[in-house]
């Protein structure tokens, strides 16, 4: 019973801390691996078709999934 009460207190404090951080604009999550300039360059190289996805990932120091995600995001923004 005491352990449950302590767990509830921890959850309550965590939620309050998250609310305070959101109010201050400090809750953002993980930072992106690539900045916008790098993303644009990656997409440009991908569209040129001279490099494989794995090569682009190695060149920019990211995983292939990040390359796919970046290209998909760029295509979605140009389609809108």
């Amino acid at each position: 019973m005491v352990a449950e009460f302590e767990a509830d207190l921890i959850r309550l404090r965590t939620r309050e801390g998250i609310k305070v951080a959101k109010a201050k604009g400090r809750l953002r999550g993980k930072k992106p691996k690539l900045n916008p300039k790098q993303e644009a360059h990656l997409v440009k190289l991908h569209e040129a078709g001279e490099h494989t996805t794995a090569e682009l990932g190695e060149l920019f120091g990211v995983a292939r999934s990040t390359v796919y995600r970046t290209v998909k995001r760029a295509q979605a923004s140009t389609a809108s």
Side-chain angles (χ1 to χ4, degrees):
M1 188 166 123
V2 175
E4 286 182 32
F5 178 69
E6 287 177 359
D8 287 340
L9 285 177
I10 291 170
R11 276 192 284 272
L12 181 65
R13 287 188 202 121
T14 302
R15 280 192 225 120
E16 287 176 6
I18 290 172
K19 284 180 186 177
V20 169
K22 276 186 182 180
K24 290 182 179 179
R26 294 191 181 161
L27 189 67
R28 286 181 265 169
K30 192 172 182 180
K31 293 187 179 186
K33 291 276 189 182
L34 302 172
N35 62 38
K37 190 175 180 180
Q38 288 173 317
E39 283 188 8
H41 189 218
L42 186 145
V43 170
K44 187 172 147 186
L45 289 175
H46 183 268
E47 289 174 352
E50 295 177 9
H51 300 283
T52 65
T53 307
E55 289 172 342
L56 288 171
E58 191 174 317
L59 181 68
F60 285 90
V62 296
R64 285 184 316 169
S65 58
T66 303
V67 174
Y68 285 122
R69 206 175 307 115
T70 303
V71 170
K72 186 175 180 180
R73 232 181 284 137
Q75 290 172 346
S77 67
T78 57
S80 296

